[in-house]
Amino acid sequence: MVSIAINDLENYKGVVIGHSPWTTISQDMINAFADATGDHQWIHVDVERAKRESPWKSPVAHGYLTASLIPMLNSQTLKVAGTSATINYGLDKLRFPAAVKAGAEIRSKVELKELTRVDDRRVLATYHTTIEIRGEDKPACVADNLAMYVI
């Protein structure tokens, strides 16, 4: 993990800051997400049918499950020091180029895209985050995610 002082963050604009550790997406995680969101589509939760009928020959994670892990993965990559809070401020762009099969490992690659001082106590950072799948050419998710830092 990289620790960067809020006052030094501007120096990292356009730079890949780092990668999170690999995280396994288990079928239990997929099922829990399906329960939380009500999305029980068979490609996610019916293991046997997904093995037989899906294009991936496996159940796959919900795209929004993958996206929901961005704050956790990025916090394992980057710590911004000198702040009292970090607020998930949303997404500007989100794409899911490849499916994440149950049991696959993912990690985030974090690049600082933009930094804007909102006022004396807040700084808005836009990170270009790529969620990579171990052993796959295409990423699972590409997003411009926003973090509001409170000083």
Side-chain angles (χ1 to χ4, degrees):
M1 175 186 305
V2 176
S3 181
I4 302 170
I6 187 69
N7 294 333
D8 295 334
L9 194 55
E10 178 72 31
N11 298 329
Y12 290 83
K13 190 173 172 182
V15 174
V16 173
I17 295 170
H19 295 82
S20 72
W22 291 104
T23 298
T24 302
I25 303 302
S26 68
Q27 187 63 50
D28 286 342
M29 288 174 71
I30 295 168
N31 293 345
F33 192 85
D35 289 343
T37 62
D39 182 352
H40 291 94
Q41 188 175 172
W42 67 267
I43 63 170
H44 305 302
V45 298
D46 189 333
V47 174
E48 293 309 313
R49 183 175 178 190
K51 285 179 180 178
R52 284 191 319 271
E53 298 179 30
S54 83
W56 307 280
K57 301 300 179 199
S58 167
V60 294
H62 306 72
Y64 286 118
L65 167 57
T66 305
S68 75
L69 296 174
I70 290 172
M72 185 267 299
L73 293 169
N74 285 1
S75 72
Q76 295 175 348
T77 306
L78 168 67
K79 165 76 173 126
V80 179
T83 62
S84 63
T86 302
I87 300 164
N88 177 358
Y89 201 69
L91 300 166
D92 276 345
K93 186 175 181 181
L94 175 64
R95 298 289 182 266
F96 302 113
V100 178
K101 296 177 186 176
E105 292 179 300
I106 64 169
R107 69 176 181 181
S108 67
K109 178 175 79 173
V110 182
E111 176 184 342
L112 179 61
K113 186 173 178 181
E114 195 66 47
L115 196 65
T116 306
R117 181 164 287 283
V118 176
D119 57 31
D120 290 345
R121 297 206 55 226
R122 296 178 298 159
V123 175
L124 181 63
T126 302
Y127 293 99
H128 184 72
T129 299
T130 304
I131 304 299
E132 301 173 333
I133 308 168
R134 189 187 293 263
E136 300 286 333
D137 293 332
K138 286 185 176 180
C141 178
V142 180
D144 288 344
N145 64 292
L146 309 172
M148 181 72 74
Y149 296 113
V150 180
I151 301 170

